[in-house]
Amino acid sequence: MLSQITKPKAECRCGGKTVYFRAYNGESLCARCFNDSIFEKVKKTISKYEMLRFGDRVGIAVSGGKDSTSLMFILSKIMKGHGSQLVALTIDEGIAGYREESIRNAETMAEELSTPLKVGAYKDFFGLTLDEVMHERDERRLKATSCSMCGPMRRRAIDLVARELQVNVIATAHNLDDLLQTFYINLYSGDVERIRWLHPNFAPEFTDFELRRIKPAMEIYEQELAFFAFLNNLPFQTESCPYMNEGIRTEVRNNLNEMERKHPGIKYSTLKTVLSISSGLGPSLSTRKAGKCEKCGATSSGRLCSVCTTLSLIT
Ligand code: SF4
Ligand code: ZN
């Protein structure tokens, strides 16, 4: 970590005009060098954790926000000529007035990058939109937060579309900030198993078909992915999910941003610690012991899977 006295320079090391100052390592970068650095970072992460293999069929989960739009753009470039295929999938949770725009953005990107896109909807998979799930929850005065109910449904919807698209890898655009927030949320709730899953090699499958989950943007700051999208004129939705502020994620996010502002690089060093902790925990044995959900037949470690448990609360 460098001290805070490092100041931006007017010129990048290549002589170009500085457009981005990376406070955590003191680099002043022009547009081209900034872009190159993001591509390099993603490539390094993929290779360090052996995320991609020859012949993989990769489905990128695109929400239409800055992170997934940027990652789709990056993967479409770096996967060219590498013997693997890229397809895109989008989940329509059914959030009126919000999801429509992001789906349009995903469709625009898919067309521009000539990447096939498949949209899968909660309504088709579960018989309810997320708006309806939230309405039922409120009617029944349940205490569960929106993300705790929506998260398992989202993961299941992604798996179902992945199976339809016959992909063997799912790439999600979780960035460094997302990983740290998840770490703290699990730390506060005592969920050690989910801390283990943060390691790129220990992500569980939870499917009855082979599906590797990768996060190629996990070592990139959220702010840098947003700037990447802006710099490359990528279409992305700036509005956030209307249900996202119910949990503590936003608070954790704000705290981490404040720490980073005061101590540039602290997020990066925390990521290293998180990965050492999850690596020290080692691979889980629980998924090997998993059986089938009594209701839907999905892979589950309990009698009911998390989706059926959620749905049983509101139907
Ligand atoms: Fe679902 Fe939460 Fe994501 Fe909104 S922010 S789509 S509620 S998981
Ligand atoms: Zn089930």
Side-chain angles (χ1 to χ4, degrees):
M1 220 183 299
L2 293 186
S3 76
Q4 281 175 281
I5 47 169
T6 314
K7 291 274 191 294
K9 297 186 185 112
E11 282 187 0
C12 173
R13 56 175 180 260
C14 75
K17 184 170 166 279
T18 295
V19 296
Y20 189 85
F21 176 60
R22 196 168 265 156
Y24 64 80
N25 65 2
E27 276 181 318
S28 298
L29 297 163
C30 68
R32 193 172 151 180
C33 291
F34 174 82
N35 261 346
D36 289 350
S37 75
I38 298 293
F39 275 101
E40 279 315 304
K41 193 86 193 162
V42 173
K43 281 192 210 160
K44 263 192 196 153
T45 303
I46 289 175
S47 123
K48 191 172 10 167
Y49 299 107
E50 297 176 354
M51 290 180 174
L52 291 181
R53 297 166 201 163
F54 188 83
D56 276 339
R57 187 167 154 85
V58 181
I60 168 144
V62 194
S63 69
K66 60 191 181 342
D67 300 332
S68 58
T69 307
S70 295
L71 185 64
M72 184 177 176
F73 182 77
I74 295 166
L75 287 183
S76 74
K77 308 281 175 214
I78 64 179
M79 280 173 61
K80 265 200 186 114
H82 277 246
S84 37
Q85 277 177 299
L86 184 69
V87 294
L89 54 104
T90 293
I91 303 305
D92 179 2
E93 299 92 349
I95 308 173
Y98 163 70
R99 202 30 110 201
E100 298 84 350
E101 185 194 342
S102 52
I103 292 176
R104 272 199 305 279
N105 288 340
E107 285 168 346
T108 307
M109 276 296 287
E111 210 178 303
E112 275 177 21
L113 301 172
S114 310
T115 305
L117 170 78
K118 168 101 191 141
V119 182
Y122 277 20
K123 187 79 179 174
D124 297 333
F125 294 136
F126 312 118
L128 290 163
T129 63
L130 184 61
D131 284 340
E132 289 165 344
V133 171
M134 292 297 104
H135 176 76
E136 291 302 322
R137 177 200 64 172
D138 295 344
E139 288 282 296
R140 289 167 165 78
R141 299 180 187 210
L142 299 174
K143 283 241 158 59
T145 63
S146 45
C147 295
S148 72
M149 296 183 86
C150 175
M153 295 170 79
R154 222 185 123 65
R155 281 191 292 278
R156 176 67 52 80
I158 290 176
D159 291 352
L160 292 170
V161 182
R163 186 204 279 270
E164 247 181 85
L165 290 171
Q166 297 188 314
V167 300
N168 67 316
V169 180
I170 280 290
T172 54
H174 293 99
N175 57 49
L176 188 151
D177 294 58
D178 293 325
L179 245 79
L180 294 190
Q181 290 156 19
T182 304
F183 170 75
Y184 279 106
I185 292 167
N186 291 321
L187 182 77
Y188 296 146
S189 65
D191 197 333
V192 178
E193 187 62 9
R194 282 175 195 273
I195 290 177
R196 180 203 311 274
W197 296 350
L198 288 173
H199 194 279
N201 300 132
F202 302 153
E205 273 189 19
F206 285 138
T207 50
D208 51 13
F209 59 104
E210 191 208 333
L211 190 65
R212 221 162 61 239
R213 294 169 204 279
I214 62 168
K215 301 183 183 102
M218 57 173 265
E219 296 184 312
I220 300 181
Y221 277 40
E222 177 177 345
Q223 181 190 318
E224 299 201 355
L225 273 182
F227 190 65
F228 181 89
F230 166 77
L231 205 57
N232 291 284
N233 282 319
L234 306 179
F236 66 92
Q237 188 175 29
T238 46
E239 209 188 313
S240 306
C241 168
Y243 300 116
M244 76 171 280
N245 288 327
E246 290 184 6
I248 61 167
R249 188 172 284 272
T250 307
E251 253 172 277
V252 173
R253 180 179 194 235
N254 293 342
N255 289 342
L256 284 165
N257 284 344
E258 180 60 12
M259 289 290 283
E260 179 71 22
R261 196 185 59 72
K262 290 186 189 155
H263 313 283
I266 201 162
K267 282 186 193 170
Y268 201 73
S269 53
T270 309
L271 176 73
K272 284 192 185 162
T273 311
V274 170
L275 292 176
S276 301
I277 292 173
S278 54
S279 169
L281 289 169
S284 172
L285 298 176
S286 64
T287 51
R288 281 185 220 151
K289 283 190 251 153
K292 299 257 179 245
C293 168
E294 270 179 26
K295 204 162 180 191
C296 72
T299 306
S300 167
S301 50
R303 198 174 62 78
L304 287 184
C305 69
S306 49
V307 173
C308 289
T309 305
T310 300
L311 293 174
S312 69
L313 297 172
I314 51 158
T315 49

